[in-house]
Amino acid sequence: MARVAFIGLGNMGGGMAANLAKAGHEVRAFDLSEVALAKAEGNGCARAADAGAAVQNADAVVTMLPAGKHVTDVFRSSVFGQAPTGAILIDCSTIDVETARIVEQEAVAAGYTMVDAPVSGGIAAAEGGTLTFMVGGSPEGFERAQPFLDQMGKAVIHAGEAGAGQAAKICNNMLLGATMIATCEAFALAQKLGLDLQTFYDISSKASGQSWSMTSYCPVPGVGPQTPADRDYQGGFATALMLKDLRLAMEAAKSVDAYTPMGGEAEELYTRFADRGGAGLDFSAIIKMIDDSWSPPAEGNRQS
Ligand code: NAD
C-alpha cells in the first residue's frame, strides 16, 4: 500500500480520498476548509497541517481543486521541490488545457512524472468509486497513475499526451451541453404540437434522435428513467459546473481556431439560465427556460 497525498477534499475530492483510504492506502489529506478536513479524518484519512506537509515522502500526489489557478498555486508552492521526485503527480481537477500542459511541463522540468486525469461522473460516483477518468500524459505516467485511479473509478482511459485528458473532458461536456439543450427543445416542441411526451420519448429513444441526454438523463419529469428532473432538478450536475466546462471548451476552441457554433450557443444559453437563477439547479433544468410554459406531464406516465 502507498502513501498518498490528497489535496482538495470538496464535493468530489472528499469521496475520492475516502475510497483511497478504504483501499488501504495511507492518505494524508489537506484542504483549506476545516469542515472538509474533519470529514476526511472521519473517512480514514490523516490530516496534514498544509499541502507541503501532505506531500512529504508521498508515493502519489492527487489533487481535486476548483480551477487552473488553484492547481498552479498548489503545485508551484507546495508540491514541486517538496514531494519526492519518485512520486506520481495526478491532477483530477477540470481545468483549461493550456494550464494543464504548463503545469505538466513544469513538473517534468522539476524531475516528476505527472498526468491530468479529469473525471466524468458527479458526487455520487466520487463516493461510490465509479468515476470515469480521462488521462493525459506519457504511457509511463498513465501506467503509474492507473492503479490509484482504478480504486476511485470504474473506467480509466488513456486519452493521449499531457493535456489530452482535459481536452477529452471539455469536448465531451460541450457535446453533452448541446445535446441536452437540443433534447429540451425537442420535448418543448413536441408538447406544443400536442404529442404525448412519453410516446415521443418511446419513439425518439429508439430512433435517430436518441442520445444520452434523452435516454439516460431525460429532462422531463415522469418520463424515462429516474433523473434529477424527478427531484425538481435538485442534485445531479449543476448548471454552474456545466457552464464552467462550456467556457473552458470555448476558450480552447478559440486557442486552436476551431469552429464550434453549437458549443458557443450552448454557452450563451447556459449563461442566460444561470443569470436567471438556474446556476444551482441540475443542468437539465434548462428546459424550464426553453419552454417557460413548461408543466410536468401527469403522474402515471413513468417508464422505469
Ligand atoms: P469543491 O469546490 O466542492 O471542492 C474544491 C475543494 O478545494 C474545496 O474544498 C476547497 O476548499 C479546496 N481548495 C481550494 N483551494 C485550495 C488550496 N489552495 N489548497 C487546498 N485546498 C483547496 O469542488 P468539487 O465539486 O469537488 O469539484 C472539484 C473539481 O472537480 C472541479 O475542477 C470541478 O470542475 C470538477 N468536477 C466536479 C464535478 C461535480 O459534480 N461536482 C464533476 C466532475 C468534475
Side-chain angles (χ1 to χ4, degrees):
M1 288 299 129
R3 287 178 297 259
V4 182
F6 204 111
I7 302 163
L9 309 160
N11 289 320
M12 298 292 289
M16 293 163 70
N19 283 327
L20 287 174
K22 216 187 290 171
H25 296 300
E26 181 193 325
V27 180
R28 269 173 281 149
F30 179 68
D31 194 290
L32 297 175
S33 149
E34 172 55 37
V35 175
L37 268 174
K39 200 169 163 201
E41 261 189 319
N43 285 330
C45 302
R47 172 194 291 251
D50 53 39
V55 306
Q56 298 300 316
N57 304 317
D59 300 305
V61 175
V62 185
T63 48
M64 193 53 164
L65 296 161
K69 65 177 183 327
H70 307 91
V71 172
T72 311
D73 286 354
V74 166
F75 277 89
R76 285 183 185 160
S77 69
S78 309
V79 180
F80 300 152
Q82 303 208 41
T85 48
I88 175 75
L89 311 183
I90 307 170
D91 178 37
C92 296
S93 327
T94 301
I95 67 171
D96 59 287
V97 177
E98 199 191 339
T99 301
R101 289 189 175 141
I102 291 170
V103 175
E104 286 172 37
Q105 275 164 13
E106 291 177 10
V108 170
Y112 297 94
T113 302
M114 181 169 182
V115 297
D116 52 296
V119 307
S120 175
I123 301 163
E127 284 172 358
T130 57
L131 294 165
T132 294
F133 289 91
M134 306 153 218
V135 187
S138 64
E140 184 223 338
F142 177 73
E143 205 174 289
R144 291 179 57 199
Q146 189 170 21
F148 297 101
L149 301 177
D150 276 340
Q151 286 161 337
M152 300 184 281
K154 67 170 177 358
V156 181
I157 300 157
H158 192 193
E161 289 300 312
Q166 300 295 350
K169 162 86 186 174
I170 55 169
C171 289
N172 180 72
N173 280 20
M174 181 180 80
L175 182 60
L176 174 62
T179 58
M180 178 54 77
I181 292 168
T183 303
C184 292
E185 279 181 19
F187 273 113
L189 177 60
Q191 186 171 55
K192 287 194 168 144
L193 293 173
L195 278 171
D196 173 73
L197 295 186
Q198 180 65 53
T199 306
F200 174 60
Y201 173 88
D202 291 344
I203 294 167
S204 196
S205 62
K206 291 182 184 60
S208 47
Q210 187 274 338
S211 71
W212 186 88
S213 296
M214 166 149 315
T215 46
S216 298
Y217 215 87
C218 186
V220 181
V223 175
Q226 282 280 343
T227 65
D230 298 303
R231 303 188 297 270
D232 205 15
Y233 305 97
Q234 301 299 316
F237 183 50
T239 290
L241 287 171
M242 170 52 82
L243 189 51
K244 170 192 167 180
D245 293 352
L246 286 168
R247 286 181 174 149
L248 288 175
M250 290 309 98
E251 218 177 276
K254 204 168 155 200
S255 75
V256 292
D257 212 11
Y259 181 50
T260 52
M262 299 295 283
E265 190 63 28
E267 183 203 1
E268 242 179 83
L269 288 166
Y270 273 109
T271 300
R272 208 179 305 162
F273 184 50
D275 289 347
R276 288 187 189 180
L281 295 175
D282 179 73
F283 78 113
S284 64
I286 199 163
I287 197 164
K288 289 169 180 272
M289 185 180 85
I290 284 172
D291 182 1
D292 278 336
S293 65
W294 181 259
S295 56
E299 273 299 306
N301 259 351
R302 175 174 308 291
Q303 191 197 67
S304 60

